Every structure is written in structure tokens, then in C-alpha cells.
DNA sequence: GTAAAAATAT
DNA sequence: TATATTTTTA
């Protein structure tokens, strides 16, 4: 069976040229998420939202994704939410995200602009493609995590509540790991200021690590200003933090 | 070539 | 499940 994102499969054969091992990327977009996710708006400051709003495919056809997503979504609106332990955000029953499933033939899919979809059906059906955490998808993720709280915010549950077909538990777990790292980093900065002024005197001018923002766990997530890192471009290259990078192990020896 | 993201392994 | 490491992508 064919698996494709409702958006479009993006073959990542930029320079490799290895058709046999081509990787299909599923860009998961969420067309009308904004008006359907009031909760996230309450909990996520605009700045932070922007900070998270990063898409790896800046050069790519973002519009394509959105449009295709919309098209497919229209055909999938009838989907219902399977699990709902807690009051789900509106998207759960009104705007299901879909990664898996093929698109209707008649759908207007503007793909093919810059992207060549030349992957074999066998390839994309056999192996899961790399999931691209678009701002929309990430938003949903954050939303779910926020609603679950720390105790229930585990990969499996998150995955279920997100209700995104094609999204695996591993995908969520991986993302969750990074997300937690991101959160931890912010908390650390907070503590630094609150309880360790002597050991780690903050710079006179300003802290390079600004964001504190939304804290899905602690509950009292405060947030403050941050410098103009990314003003308009949602894609800065770093989804979680554009200033610094978290404990990145060593340098890859590749 | 490097950094970040995602996948995979432990 | 959580974390560490590796691989892949931008």
C-alpha cells in the first residue's frame, strides 16, 4: 500500500543520486490549526511560538504543503478521535492530522514545483520516511503535552492524542526528548538567575539565552522578551533555540 | 564543513 | 520509557 503524506512526498535526492535508497520525507502540515487551537495560543507566547516555528524546508514549497494538506484534509475531515483521556484540544475532533494514506486523484496538488517525486512505491511503503516536524505539527505536539501534564506526557500517550496517522511512537519520543532538553535549558536559565547570582553572574548587557516561555510541566510558565533573533522568517534553522544548542555530544566524526 | 534534526540503539 | 549515540539533512 502506498504511504504518503497528505502533503507530498519529498525525495531527498539532492546530490546523492542513489535512487534505490531514496528517502521520502513526509511533511506534515496543519492547514487550519491556528483557529483550532486556542489553548496553545493561551499557553504559548508569540515569541516562543516563533522560536518554534521552524521548517527545514525553507527552500521548499511550503505553500505546497499547506495547500496539499488542506486538500487532503478536506477529504479526511470525517475522521474521528479514537482516544481522549483528557479534554482534547479542538483539533482532535475537528482537524485530524494525517500523514498516512494516499491522496485523492482529483485533488489539486500543486506539487512538482521544485520537488521531484521519483521514489519507488516499494521504497516508501517499506520504510518509514523521515518525519519533518513542521511548526504546525510541533504546535500540536506542544498542545498535547501541555494538556497531558508531566505525568502523562509519555510518547505513547502523546502520540495517541496527537492523532496523527503515520506518526510513530518513536517519532514522538525522539521529538519529546529534544523538547524536554529545550525545556530543561530554559529552566536552567531561570534558576541561574533566581538562585545563583554569584556563581554565575549574568552579563551586563543581556543574556544570550532569553527564552523561558511556556512551561507545560511546571505550570507557571512565564516568559519574557527576547532579542530579535528571528523577526519574520519562521525558518531560522533551529526549531527549539536559535541562539544556542543544548548539550550536543561531541562532534560527529563523519 | 558544520550544526541541527531526526532516527536508531542501548 | 528515557537517554545516548548515530545518521541524515539543511
Amino acid at each position: 500500500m502506498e504511504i504518503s503524506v497528505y502533503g507530498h512526498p519529498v525525495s531527498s535526492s539532492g546530490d546523492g543520486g542513489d535512487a534505490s535508497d531514496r528517502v521520502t520525507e513526509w511533511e506534515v502540515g496543519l492547514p487550519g490549526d491556528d483557529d483550532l487551537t486556542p489553548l496553545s495560543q493561551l499557553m504559548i507566547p508569540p515569541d516562543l511560538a516563533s522560536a518554534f516555528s521552524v521548517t527545514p524546508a525553507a527552500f521548499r514549497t511550503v505553500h505546497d504543503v499547506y495547500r496539499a494538506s488542506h486538500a487532503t484534509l478536506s477529504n479526511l475531515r470525517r475522521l474521528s478521535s479514537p482516544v481522549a483521556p483528557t479534554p482534547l484540544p479542538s483539533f482532535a475532533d475537528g482537524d485530524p492530522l494525517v500523514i498516512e494514506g494516499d491522496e485523492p486523484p482529483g485533488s489539486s496538488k500543486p506539487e512538482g514545483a521544485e520537488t521531484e517525486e521519483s521514489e519507488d512505491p516499494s521504497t516508501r511503503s517499506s520504510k518509514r520516511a523521515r518525519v519533518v516536524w513542521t511548526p504546525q505539527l510541533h504546535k500540536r505536539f506542544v498542545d498535547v503535552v501541555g494538556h497531558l501534564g508531566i505525568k502523562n506526557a509519555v510518547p505513547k500517550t502523546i502520540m495517541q492524542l496527537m492523532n496523527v496517522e503515520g506518526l510513530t511512537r518513536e517519532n514522538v519520543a525522539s521529538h519529546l526528548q529534544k523538547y524536554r532538553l529545550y525545556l530543561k535549558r530554559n529552566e536552567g536559565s531561570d534558576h541561574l538567575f533566581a538562585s545563583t547570582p554569584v556563581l554565575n553572574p549574568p552579563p551586563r548587557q543581556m543574556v544570550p539565552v532569553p527564552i523561558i516561555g511556556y512551561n507545560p510541566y511546571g505550570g507557571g510558565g512565564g516568559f519574557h522578551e527576547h532579542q530579535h533573533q528571528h523577526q519574520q522568517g519562521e525558518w531560522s534553522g533551529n526549531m527549539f533555540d536559535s541562539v544556542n544548542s543544548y548539550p550536543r555530544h561531541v562532534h560527529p566524526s563523519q
Side-chain angles (χ1 to χ4, degrees):
Chain A
M1 99 188 221
E2 258 72 273
I3 310 176
S4 63
V5 200
Y6 62 4
H8 59 257
V10 181
S11 87
S12 59
S13 58
D15 56 311
D18 185 51
S20 59
D21 194 33
R22 200 181 306 280
V23 180
T24 299
E25 291 182 356
W26 291 327
E27 297 185 5
V28 184
L30 188 58
D33 190 58
D34 295 82
D35 51 296
L36 291 169
T37 316
L39 209 141
S40 63
Q41 291 177 3
L42 289 174
M43 309 184 80
I44 308 175
D47 290 0
L48 182 58
S50 297
F52 276 97
S53 298
V54 168
T55 274
F59 64 97
R60 206 48 79 185
T61 58
V62 182
H63 292 28
D64 288 3
V65 178
Y66 273 67
R67 287 189 56 184
S69 301
H70 194 358
T72 306
L73 254 287
S74 301
N75 292 277
L76 294 163
R77 287 249 175 173
R78 45 197 165 77
L79 221 155
S80 58
S81 57
V83 277
T86 53
L88 291 173
S90 46
F91 63 72
D93 68 328
D95 196 10
L97 256 185
V98 178
I99 297 183
E100 183 262 355
D102 53 314
E103 306 174 30
S107 69
S108 55
K109 191 177 60 175
E111 100 284 75
E114 291 96 340
T115 302
E116 284 296 328
E117 75 247 42
S118 18
E119 57 276 308
D120 299 320
S122 55
T123 302
R124 64 184 191 188
S125 61
S126 57
K127 59 189 300 178
R128 274 266 184 268
R130 197 183 181 88
V131 170
V132 178
W133 285 88
T134 62
Q136 291 76 19
L137 186 58
H138 176 69
K139 189 178 180 181
R140 174 169 290 192
F141 167 85
V142 172
D143 225 345
V144 169
V145 171
H147 280 97
L148 282 174
I150 190 173
K151 53 185 173 66
N152 294 326
V154 292
K156 184 182 177 182
T157 311
I158 295 172
M159 177 196 66
Q160 290 175 149
L161 263 81
M162 285 182 72
N163 192 27
V164 177
E165 287 186 41
L167 191 66
T168 67
R169 188 179 56 83
E170 281 76 16
N171 293 141
V172 176
S174 179
H175 195 69
L176 179 63
Q177 180 178 29
K178 278 193 64 179
Y179 184 61
R180 282 170 172 166
L181 244 35
Y182 166 82
L183 257 43
K184 182 182 295 180
R185 162 172 262 277
N186 289 338
E187 289 177 7
S189 300
D190 184 40
H191 292 169
L192 200 68
F193 261 72
S195 58
T196 320
V198 195
L199 294 178
N200 254 319
R204 291 111 183 163
Q205 297 187 340
M206 234 196 192
V207 257
V209 186
I211 317 102
I212 281 194
Y214 167 56
N215 184 344
Y217 301 146
F223 39 84
H224 50 259
E225 36 71 38
H226 75 321
Q227 297 171 333
H228 44 285
Q229 316 274 311
H230 36 16
Q231 47 286 27
Q232 53 125 4
E234 27 221 53
W235 359 91
S236 295
N238 194 335
M239 177 182 294
F240 296 91
D241 194 339
S242 51
V243 192
N244 227 325
S245 51
Y246 22 78
R248 202 170 69 257
H249 16 290
V250 282
H251 277 260
S253 49
Q254 59 179 45

